[in-house]
């Protein structure tokens, strides 16, 4: 399903850029703590392709902050985005599952991107049902998330195609079974016909013998 990923190959990075902007706004409003500064450093490292350094920065923040704090949530998301860029989908999914997306303090577009990235992971794994669910939640969280809307439609199409292929395979199996049954029916019919033929031949031979006896 190339259409789904053509626009999504850099989803981790693109989402990270969005979060970077959110970081700037957050830091401007509330000041820049050491944790927030380290998140920014990790974001820049990610941008430069220094994933090991970015991972270390985000992990440091995760390990030094409270789970419900904004810094902790942002660091989790950024780390998951880095894992996506590295192709470590299971690790990324584990980190995304740690996010408290029910936290109303988190911006709607942040929650939307978290659901979106989760959808991307499931789509790449071929689980389009779960991907559809998360893309839908991404749209519900932020109706302006155009990428989520596009991928939601693509995943729904993929599910329809898979159902059609499954139904076709079932029909083919039924037809093959019917073909086997037809062959068996033909064999039984031929056997019956052969037995009937033998029966009539025996009756004919008996009749001829009877006539020979009478003539004698």
């Amino acid at each position: 399903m190339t259409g789904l990923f053509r626009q999504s190959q850099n989803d981790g990075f693109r989402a990270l850029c969005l979060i970077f902007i959110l970081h700037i706004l957050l830091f401007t409003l509330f000041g820049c703590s050491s944790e927030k500064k380290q998140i920014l450093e990790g974001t820049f490292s990610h941008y430069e392709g220094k994933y090991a350094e970015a991972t270390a920065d985000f992990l440091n923040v995760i390990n030094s902050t409270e789970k419900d704090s904004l810094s902790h949530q942002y660091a989790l998301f950024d780390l998951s985005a880095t894992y996506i860029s590295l192709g470590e989908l299971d690790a990324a999914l584990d980190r995304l599952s740690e996010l408290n997306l029910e936290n109303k303090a988190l911006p709607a577009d942040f929650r939307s991107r978290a659901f979106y990235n989760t959808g991307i992971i499931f789509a790449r794994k071929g689980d389009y049902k779960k991907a559809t669910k998360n893309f839908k939640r991404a749209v519900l969280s932020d109706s302006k998330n155009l990428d989520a809307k596009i991928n939601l439609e693509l995943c729904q199409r993929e599910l329809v195609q898979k159902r059609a292929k499954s139904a076709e395979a079932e029909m083919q199996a039924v037809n093959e079974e019917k073909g086997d049954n037809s062959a068996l029916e033909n064999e039984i019919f031929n056997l019956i016909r052969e037995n009937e033929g033998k029966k009539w031949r025996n009756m004919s031979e008996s009749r001829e013998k009877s006539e020979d006896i009478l003539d004698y």
Side-chain angles (χ1 to χ4, degrees):
M1 187 175 177
T2 56
L4 178 63
F5 303 117
R6 187 181 302 117
Q7 65 175 2
S8 304
Q9 290 174 346
N10 295 319
D11 287 304
F13 170 70
R14 290 167 59 188
L16 198 65
C17 289
L18 174 67
I19 300 306
F20 172 73
I21 296 173
L22 294 175
H23 290 334
I24 295 298
L25 294 175
L26 182 66
F27 299 158
T28 301
L29 292 174
F30 300 104
C32 187
S33 65
S34 59
E35 292 85 6
K36 295 170 186 175
K37 181 179 179 182
Q38 196 161 27
I39 291 176
L40 281 177
E41 291 174 353
T43 304
F44 281 119
S45 294
H46 184 284
Y47 176 80
E48 295 174 350
K50 300 176 181 178
Y51 299 125
E53 294 181 14
T55 298
D57 285 329
F58 298 141
L59 282 173
N60 285 336
V61 175
I62 292 170
N63 293 330
S64 62
T65 54
E66 296 293 333
K67 289 185 177 181
D68 291 331
S69 68
L70 290 179
S71 294
H72 189 91
Q73 298 293 304
Y74 279 108
L76 279 174
F77 179 90
D78 291 344
L79 181 59
S80 70
T82 302
Y83 285 151
I84 292 176
S85 296
L86 289 169
E88 300 290 341
L89 301 184
D90 290 333
L93 192 59
D94 287 341
R95 291 301 180 176
L96 285 168
S97 67
E98 295 179 34
L99 290 172
N100 181 13
L101 297 178
E102 302 303 322
N103 185 354
K104 300 303 181 182
L106 293 172
D109 48 1
F110 176 94
R111 297 197 301 273
S112 180
R113 283 294 167 178
F115 289 128
Y116 176 82
N117 277 8
T118 304
I120 288 296
I121 293 172
F122 281 121
R124 291 185 182 178
K125 285 175 168 287
D127 191 338
Y128 297 105
K129 187 175 182 179
K130 288 184 179 179
T132 297
K133 178 181 178 181
N134 280 279
F135 286 136
K136 186 179 294 184
R137 295 183 72 180
V139 173
L140 291 174
S141 297
D142 181 11
S143 60
K144 296 179 182 179
N145 192 337
L146 181 60
D147 286 345
K149 292 180 180 179
I150 293 173
N151 283 347
L152 173 59
E153 182 178 350
L154 290 171
C155 275
Q156 289 173 334
R157 290 181 185 177
E158 186 69 17
L159 284 174
V160 170
Q161 291 176 4
K162 288 185 71 173
R163 292 192 190 103
K165 290 179 181 178
S166 177
E168 182 180 351
E170 289 180 4
M171 289 177 64
Q172 183 177 357
V174 170
N175 289 336
E176 290 175 353
E177 184 178 345
K178 285 184 177 179
D180 293 339
N181 289 338
S182 297
L184 180 60
E185 289 172 1
N186 289 334
E187 186 176 346
I188 293 174
F189 176 76
N190 291 333
L191 183 61
I192 293 173
R193 185 170 58 183
E194 183 180 345
N195 290 335
E196 287 294 325
K198 288 180 180 180
K199 179 179 179 181
W200 283 108
R201 282 197 300 271
N202 292 334
M203 290 177 65
S204 178
E205 291 175 356
S206 297
R207 188 180 300 112
E208 289 176 357
K209 289 180 179 179
S210 297
E211 292 176 354
D212 290 342
I213 293 172
L214 290 175
D215 292 339
Y216 178 79

